[in-house]
Amino acid sequence: MVEVKTVSGRRDIKKFVLFPLSLYKNHPCYVPDMVSSQINDLLEDKNPAFEYCKARSFLAYKDGKLSDRVTGILNTRANEKDGHNYLRFANFDFVDDAEVTDALYHALEDYARELGCEGIHGPQGFSDMDREGMLIEGFEYLSQFFTYYNYPYYPEHMDRLGFEKEIDWVEYRITVPTEVPRRMEMIVEAAKKKHNLHVADLSDKKNLPKYIRDVFVLYNEAYQVLFGMVPLTPRQIDKYVSEFKPLISNRTSAFVYNDKDELLAFGVGSQSISKANQKSRGRMLPFGWARLLKALYGKNDSIDMFLIAVKPELKGAGLNLVVLENLLRKGIQNGVKYAETGPQLEDNANVQSMWRLFNARQHKRRRCYLKRFEGAKPVEKPHMEG
């Protein structure tokens, strides 16, 4: 017997967040996000995205045992931007049991119809800063703390439920060279001279919040053309400034300014904390904080790349190479051997062209699925620019 319950209150939210820790117990590739952060994202008084989103989460039990979870999110701003009325789904984790998965999906569909939606798509979160995309290739590779990991049977259930591909994201693993290519140095020198550029000193802790805020202001401008993205609100920017502050350092990030103190390009990354999060199971206490600090500031041969962007009107001016050259130089100095990108849309040629400069391979692919309800109006394929 399957019973689906609506998540209500902090106790249920905690069960919801902790469920994947048992589903993926001892799995070598699964990496949890921070438990406290996941809980806060589901609390209306903690997550500023609830200013324009509605959400409901569900837990499914079979014979009294917790077996599935999912969150339905109505992002009104994204729907207005994209010209449809879809319910997003996120945090979709389940055992390999069609009876349970079907019951949970029907609860999600009922919620979507209650809100007047014409379909369901995802995985997507409250904002583009949240985890998105179901893994369909690369199950054998270690995940990142800011991306979903899932078993290979997940896509099989999506197909069975009648979902189709909406769009894919791809990820790359880069082998860091032992020296900076001279041609890259020449392009960077010319770009710096032409645009009066300098790379900010991120060891300046007093100004670090200002630098990170500048990043998200430019993020809003540069990323707004991307699929599923809506600009962050001031309160959301405040939230991410606080969350990113411990991750930002000179070793793994580069913020490029001109002589007018305008941020023109950035690359945001950190030393990989995947293995630290695995050992701590996403918890800061009792020893999670120590493992995290060691991963971030100790010897580490791997970097995770979160975000990279250039001011739209300066694309093609070499500013992306200013970012990459700075990160590459510092990575070589610090013994970095590998860099792993975050998800990027499969048709984002501008970003993917950068990885051709290196020994890089696309090793993961993740998918946004869509299921339109019968009678829903036709829609065009998602378009991405930039």
Side-chain angles (χ1 to χ4, degrees):
M1 176 181 176
V2 178
E3 181 183 11
V4 178
K5 296 182 178 180
T6 299
V7 171
S8 177
R10 288 176 179 263
R11 185 176 180 181
D12 277 356
I13 289 176
K14 188 173 181 180
K15 287 181 182 179
F16 185 93
V17 167
L18 294 180
F19 170 64
L21 295 180
S22 60
L23 183 64
Y24 294 96
K25 186 176 181 180
N26 298 323
H27 194 290
C29 296
Y30 172 74
V31 177
D33 193 359
M34 291 297 178
V35 169
S36 58
S37 176
Q38 294 179 72
I39 290 174
N40 287 341
D41 281 348
L42 296 175
L43 294 171
E44 292 191 28
D45 61 336
K46 297 290 186 180
N47 187 350
F50 277 101
E51 292 175 355
Y52 57 89
C53 291
K54 293 181 180 179
R56 185 179 295 173
S57 296
F58 302 92
L59 293 169
Y61 296 79
K62 183 170 184 178
D63 300 328
K65 183 179 180 180
L66 180 57
S67 302
D68 289 43
R69 69 167 194 171
V70 73
T71 300
I73 301 170
L74 182 69
N75 186 321
T76 56
R77 293 176 66 205
N79 282 339
E80 289 170 3
K81 173 193 169 189
D82 296 331
H84 54 56
N85 188 21
Y86 295 156
L87 183 76
R88 295 181 169 194
F89 70 85
N91 306 317
F92 198 13
D93 288 295
F94 46 88
V95 298
D96 191 8
D97 185 325
E99 182 184 9
V100 187
T101 309
D102 288 358
L104 196 66
Y105 168 73
H106 289 312
L108 187 68
E109 182 176 323
D110 288 345
Y111 180 50
R113 293 185 182 278
E114 176 187 322
L115 295 172
C117 295
E118 57 191 353
I120 298 173
H121 67 163
Q124 292 190 89
F126 290 93
S127 80
D128 194 52
M129 291 297 297
D130 294 331
R131 292 178 293 174
E132 55 192 5
M134 182 176 289
L135 195 66
I136 62 170
E137 295 174 8
F139 301 103
E140 69 272 32
Y141 297 108
L142 182 68
S143 187
Q144 297 168 295
F145 80 94
F146 58 93
T147 60
Y148 285 118
Y149 184 82
N150 54 263
Y151 287 116
Y153 64 76
Y154 276 42
E156 297 172 6
H157 282 261
M158 300 305 293
D159 293 340
R160 185 182 54 77
L161 287 167
F163 282 85
E164 298 179 345
K165 172 185 173 179
E166 186 171 19
I167 202 164
D168 284 358
W169 293 268
V170 292
E171 298 169 44
Y172 289 80
R173 182 170 173 83
I174 300 163
T175 300
V176 177
T178 55
E179 60 182 21
V180 180
R182 179 54 188 158
R183 176 170 172 75
M184 179 183 286
E185 290 180 326
M186 293 171 62
I187 295 173
V188 168
E189 289 170 4
K192 282 184 173 180
K193 183 177 181 180
K194 181 177 180 179
H195 299 284
N196 297 311
L197 305 177
H198 67 277
V199 179
D201 179 8
L202 302 181
S203 65
D204 181 359
K205 299 303 181 184
K206 180 180 179 181
N207 287 320
L208 189 56
K210 182 264 184 191
Y211 292 147
I212 302 173
R213 190 173 300 278
D214 288 347
V215 162
F216 286 110
V217 171
L218 180 52
Y219 163 89
N220 274 351
E221 181 181 356
Y223 278 60
Q224 63 180 324
V225 296
L226 300 183
F227 168 79
M229 191 274 184
V230 291
L232 301 172
T233 67
R235 286 190 60 219
Q236 283 180 294
I237 290 177
D238 289 341
K239 173 180 182 287
Y240 290 119
V241 168
S242 176
E243 291 182 358
F244 270 72
K245 187 176 177 181
L247 299 173
I248 303 299
S249 78
N250 266 331
R251 299 175 72 175
T252 55
S253 294
F255 301 170
V256 179
Y257 284 82
N258 63 13
D259 56 353
K260 298 177 182 177
D261 197 34
E262 297 171 326
L263 181 67
L264 302 184
F266 65 78
V268 179
S270 79
Q271 296 192 159
S272 175
I273 62 172
S274 293
K275 293 180 180 179
N277 271 25
Q278 276 186 327
K279 291 179 181 178
S280 302
R281 293 170 62 80
R283 301 175 185 272
M284 292 295 288
L285 298 174
F287 304 115
W289 62 272
R291 294 188 182 106
L292 185 62
L293 290 176
K294 183 178 179 181
L296 287 173
Y297 302 110
K299 188 175 180 180
N300 193 326
D301 69 356
S302 298
I303 288 178
D304 288 339
M305 292 297 300
F306 306 143
L307 301 167
I308 188 166
V310 173
K311 202 166 182 64
E313 60 266 33
L314 291 173
K315 285 181 179 178
L319 273 70
N320 59 332
L321 294 184
V322 177
V323 171
L324 290 178
E325 188 268 350
N326 184 268
L327 293 175
L328 178 56
R329 189 177 300 281
K330 293 184 292 191
I332 293 170
Q333 291 173 353
N334 291 302
V336 174
K337 297 179 180 179
Y338 305 102
E340 186 164 349
T341 73
Q344 51 212 252
L345 289 163
E346 61 183 342
D347 53 1
N348 192 336
N350 285 331
V351 170
Q352 290 169 40
S353 66
M354 294 190 295
W355 314 137
R356 298 191 192 109
L357 300 169
F358 306 100
N359 178 7
R361 60 189 175 91
Q362 185 239 305
H363 67 312
K364 296 177 188 175
R365 178 179 291 267
R366 55 187 68 247
R367 178 158 295 172
C368 180
Y369 285 91
L370 169 65
K371 183 176 182 179
R372 287 182 287 140
F373 301 150
E374 187 175 349
K377 64 182 180 180
V379 293
E380 297 180 357
K381 182 184 182 295
H383 178 62
M384 196 285 305
E385 300 176 357

